């Protein structure tokens, strides 16, 4: 307010910088001065002797989100199957186009179609593994392994009913439901097939049982994906049965071709190769179904 004077800075007797601070101002200690504080996170133990806290690991990189599936990928197969159904089973060209489009477009090819049936493939391998074990060591010993020795001597359909939870251990998901439905259909078909004696089961009969199971599993997968409930079926009950039977025969021909191809290639039914054998049959079955469907659709 008019009485203030200009500030001339600190005097030499009372510096603002302490004498023990290095002349460079960087924290270096002068001789006889107080020590520097230890830097943080140098691995010094805590006062209670516990090890120092470790730095959190870096977050894993985010995985790319797969592209959404085409919501119209089943439109073509559904339309062709509807035409086949409305014909009462006479329009084989539409059936062929429906199946070939399902494999190539809807499922993404034979390999991807087979991979989508992981539960059914695993159940098929367990079924074949048991039948193969019964041929190798006898039915009683194979059943004893599963704690089902009491079923020894019973007809094969009864034995398979008793071991349903071993072959198809769950039915909570769609895939598990398809696997179990195919298994039940296989047991029903066995009752009229003449294959009833597990002790006398031949290698050809064993493959026939597996052919039944794979056929029902693939048929159920196609029906579930295409959504037969949304397809107009013929009102005539006999025509509807013909439609269902022709679809099953179409699928069975593909599975039969796949099994013939595996046997011609010298596939060995060793216990450690059963899953690979089953996986290859499924993939080949879809490949043959696609080829057969294209041939039918071109007629």
């Amino acid at each position: 307010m008019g009485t203030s004077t200009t500030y001339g800075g600190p005097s030499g007797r009372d510096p603002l910088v302490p004498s023990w601070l290095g002349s460079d101002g960087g924290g270096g200690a002068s001789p006889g001065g107080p020590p520097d504080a230890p830097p943080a996170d140098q691995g010094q133990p805590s006062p209670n002797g516990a090890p120092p806290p470790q730095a959190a690991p870096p977050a894993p990189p985010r995985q790319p989100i797969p592209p959404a599936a085409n919501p119209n990928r089943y439109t073509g197969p559904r339309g062709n199957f509807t035409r086949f159904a409305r014909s009462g089973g006479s329009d084989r060209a539409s059936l062929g186009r429906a199946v070939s489009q399902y494999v190539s477009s809807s499922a993404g090819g034979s390999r991807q179609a087979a991979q989508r049936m992981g539960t059914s493939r695993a159940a098929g391998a367990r079924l074949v593994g048991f039948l193969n074990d019964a041929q190798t060591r006898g039915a009683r010993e194979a059943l004893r392994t599963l704690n089902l020795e009491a079923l020894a001597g019973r007809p094969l359909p009864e034995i398979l009913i008793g071991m349903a939870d071993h072959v198809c251990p769950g039915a909570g998901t769609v895939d598990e439901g398809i696997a179990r439905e195919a298994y039940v259909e296989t047991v029903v078909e066995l009752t009229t097939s003449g294959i009833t004696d597990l002790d006398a089961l031949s290698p050809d009969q064993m493959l026939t049982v597996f052919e039944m199971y794979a056929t029902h599993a693939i048929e159920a997968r196609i029906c579930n994906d295409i959504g037969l409930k949304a397809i107009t079926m013929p009102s005539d009950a006999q025509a509807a049965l013909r439609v269902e039977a022709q679809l099953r025969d179409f699928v069975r021909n593909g599975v039969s071709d796949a099994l013939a191809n595996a046997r011609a290639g010298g596939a060995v039914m060793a216990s450690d190769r059963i899953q690979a054998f089953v996986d290859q049959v499924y993939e080949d079955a879809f490949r043959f179904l696609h080829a057969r469907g294209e041939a039918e659709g071109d007629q």
Side-chain angles (χ1 to χ4, degrees), residues 21-296:
L21 188 63
S23 60
D24 60 355
S30 60
D36 292 341
D41 298 332
Q42 291 296 314
Q44 299 295 331
S46 60
N48 59 4
Q54 299 294 323
R62 293 185 177 182
Q63 298 297 323
I65 299 175
N70 183 0
N72 300 318
R73 65 189 183 279
Y74 296 119
T75 301
R78 283 182 184 139
N80 279 299
F81 199 91
T82 294
R83 284 187 283 274
F84 166 67
R86 286 177 176 173
S87 73
S90 62
D91 188 357
R92 295 277 301 184
S94 291
L95 173 60
R97 284 191 290 268
V99 175
S100 64
Q101 289 173 351
Y102 169 79
V103 176
S104 62
S105 301
S106 303
S110 58
R111 176 170 296 182
Q112 286 75 13
Q115 288 176 348
R116 295 184 68 238
M117 303 194 65
T119 304
S120 297
R121 288 187 287 110
R126 285 189 287 268
L127 174 61
V128 173
F130 168 76
L131 298 177
N132 187 63
D133 190 27
Q135 286 184 339
T136 304
R137 300 192 299 140
R140 185 175 295 276
E141 289 300 317
L143 288 168
R144 180 179 294 144
T145 303
L146 304 178
N147 294 321
L148 295 174
E149 189 179 359
L151 293 175
R154 306 299 301 170
L156 180 58
E158 291 187 26
I159 293 175
L160 295 184
I161 291 174
M163 55 182 291
D165 289 336
H166 166 73
V167 176
C168 306
T173 67
V174 172
D175 288 341
E176 290 171 344
I178 287 174
R180 185 171 282 265
E181 176 187 347
Y183 187 78
V184 172
E185 292 288 342
T186 300
V187 172
V188 172
E189 189 173 356
L190 275 173
T191 60
T192 59
S193 68
I195 304 176
T196 59
D197 190 350
L198 181 59
D199 289 292
L201 193 71
S202 67
D204 286 342
Q205 289 176 326
M206 178 185 68
L207 292 180
T208 297
V209 175
F210 172 58
E211 179 182 306
M212 292 178 186
Y213 177 77
T215 297
H216 289 297
I218 292 175
E219 178 193 4
R221 177 83 264 179
I222 293 175
C223 290
N224 182 82
D225 286 348
I226 292 180
L228 288 188
K229 292 182 180 180
I231 291 175
T232 303
M233 297 292 287
S235 56
D236 181 1
Q238 293 300 318
L241 289 175
R242 285 196 301 271
V243 168
E244 180 181 358
Q246 289 200 42
L247 173 61
R248 183 166 299 166
D249 287 343
F250 193 95
V251 174
R252 176 157 293 169
N253 285 334
V255 176
S256 178
D257 289 344
L259 281 169
N261 185 65
R263 298 174 76 177
V268 179
M269 194 62 69
S271 59
D272 60 342
R273 291 284 302 159
I274 289 177
Q275 184 66 67
F277 171 83
V278 169
D279 292 347
Q280 190 61 53
V281 168
Y282 269 87
E283 182 176 338
D284 287 346
F286 279 110
R287 180 164 56 87
F288 283 118
L289 285 173
H290 177 253
R292 184 182 294 270
E294 283 193 327
E296 292 272 2

